[in-house]
Amino acid sequence: MMMIAIPFLMDQYANEVWLGATLSFLAVTCLAGLHEVARELENPFRNAPNDVPLCTLLAFYNEALVTMFAGFHPDAYWDKAEVLSKKRGGGEEETSESNGG
């Protein structure tokens, strides 16, 4: 509809034919772009092949939260027995021995 009506309106608005044709092209291009943006905003989470994999990213995020809550990071290497002995209060003796006392 706009591709038919706008050239006639621009012909009446502009005094030059080339100016009317240029303004028609620009107006139709802007309105078509605005229509595409509105279509995307209408349904932003459709399942298109180029969309961001939200389910996969959410699963990774949840796994990271569970890992942080558990207190273990896969890149951190520690001795489980040493950590448990420090929690029980056995860590003070080890630190005094390492200081030479």
Side-chain angles (χ1 to χ4, degrees):
M1 174 73 181
M2 65 182 164
M3 290 184 191
I4 297 170
I6 289 181
F8 290 116
L9 293 172
M10 287 299 170
D11 182 45
Q12 296 297 319
Y13 179 73
N15 295 333
E16 302 284 333
V17 175
W18 65 270
L19 182 62
T22 304
L23 290 176
S24 295
F25 174 76
L26 292 175
V28 170
T29 304
C30 289
L31 289 174
L34 186 64
H35 177 68
E36 289 299 318
V37 168
R39 280 184 45 202
E40 184 65 32
L41 289 176
E42 190 175 289
N43 189 8
F45 299 115
R46 63 179 178 205
N47 231 357
N50 62 346
D51 278 346
V52 176
L54 293 177
C55 292
T56 306
L57 291 177
L58 181 64
F60 287 153
Y61 180 70
N62 286 340
E63 184 179 345
L65 284 177
V66 168
T67 303
M68 285 190 307
F69 182 71
F72 172 73
H73 190 271
D75 294 336
Y77 299 101
W78 47 272
D79 187 19
K80 186 176 180 180
E82 180 183 338
V83 171
L84 291 177
S85 68
K86 285 183 182 181
K87 282 186 178 179
R88 293 183 190 140
E92 292 87 17
E93 295 143 5
E94 293 174 8
T95 56
S96 63
E97 290 173 3
S98 63
N99 292 335

